[in-house]
Amino acid sequence: MMRNLDGVSVYFDPAHFSAETLERIQTFPVTAVIKEMLFHTLRWSDKSGEKMPVEQTFFQALFLLCQEQMKQKAAETFTLPRVTHPLLVRAMDSALVDPGHASLTQALHQAGMSERSFRRHFLNETGMTWQAWITQARLFHAATLLAEGQRVTDVSAEVGYASLSAFAKAFTHLLGQSPVRFRKSQEGN
């Protein structure tokens, strides 16, 4: 059985979703439990007409877990929080000039803080770690460059990714579509 997949498509009966949900394909991260449950479903044949009570219960639980993940993913908006603390503002502004080369060391220098104080203040003001914030800043910058029509490989390097596949995976996870598809969707805009 093949288990090192990057993605899997799961189709649910549309009757279980609102009309708003049905308007688009939705991606969401799969937890370890959902992953194992999906592999477990391969045990049952879809040739049998009526599902056994155990199968029905199992698929209902899988559906509810997937629905929970979809709601959680929908609640996560792609935002880049700002801060009010003047020293953190200076560190953020410096990082946004060139997010692909920004580092924690540079941010600490710009803020003039110890790493511990910086991390504590940063998390309190943004609700995010520095690493999560700079990753989102890089992907915001990448989305802008892709919308301008730049090549995906160039954008990947520009925003600090050494691996094109790592960039594509991070971009897809955060924006819900691949960099190539995003760039194509922006061509007429």
Side-chain angles (χ1 to χ4, degrees):
M1 183 180 310
M2 190 179 206
R3 287 188 172 232
N4 58 345
L5 301 173
D6 284 335
V8 66
S9 296
V10 178
Y11 300 94
F12 292 104
D13 182 347
H16 296 290
F17 292 93
S18 66
E20 177 188 308
T21 308
L22 297 174
E23 292 176 355
R24 60 188 162 72
I25 294 173
Q26 185 173 356
T27 62
F28 58 92
V30 175
T31 64
V33 171
I34 293 174
K35 179 180 173 185
E36 289 304 316
M37 288 179 78
L38 287 169
F39 282 117
H40 190 74
T41 63
L42 299 174
R43 293 177 15 159
W44 293 306
S45 165
D46 61 351
K47 294 176 186 166
S48 61
E50 192 65 33
K51 298 233 181 283
M52 300 299 289
V54 170
E55 291 177 41
Q56 290 176 340
T57 304
F58 183 88
F59 283 111
Q60 181 64 23
L62 178 59
F63 169 75
L64 291 171
L65 288 170
C66 289
Q67 194 174 43
E68 178 183 42
Q69 283 298 107
M70 286 186 270
K71 286 178 184 173
Q72 182 178 348
K73 179 67 178 177
E76 296 173 4
T77 55
F78 185 39
T79 60
L80 194 61
R82 295 290 293 168
V83 293
T84 56
H85 191 292
L87 298 175
L88 295 178
V89 168
R90 190 168 58 197
M92 270 188 175
D93 289 346
S94 175
L96 290 174
V97 169
D98 186 7
H101 294 95
S103 68
L104 178 60
T105 305
Q106 291 171 334
L108 294 174
H109 176 73
Q110 289 294 325
M113 293 181 170
S114 70
E115 184 174 344
R116 184 176 173 188
S117 293
F118 179 84
R119 287 183 185 275
R120 186 179 72 248
H121 288 295
F122 197 89
L123 184 62
N124 285 342
E125 285 215 33
T126 64
M128 304 172 81
T129 64
W130 164 260
Q131 190 57 48
W133 184 87
I134 197 62
T135 297
Q136 286 196 190
R138 288 176 176 152
L139 295 174
F140 260 126
H141 187 56
T144 303
L145 297 174
L146 290 168
E148 292 171 356
Q150 291 192 29
R151 292 178 0 163
V152 174
T153 23
D154 296 339
V155 171
S156 173
E158 170 75 21
V159 297
Y161 282 85
S163 159
L164 184 58
S165 63
F167 168 68
K169 189 173 184 175
F171 191 92
T172 303
H173 176 74
L174 203 57
L175 277 88
Q177 58 183 316
S178 72
V180 172
R181 182 172 276 171
F182 178 82
R183 191 179 116 192
K184 286 180 182 175
S185 74
Q186 299 300 307
E187 284 177 355
N189 298 340

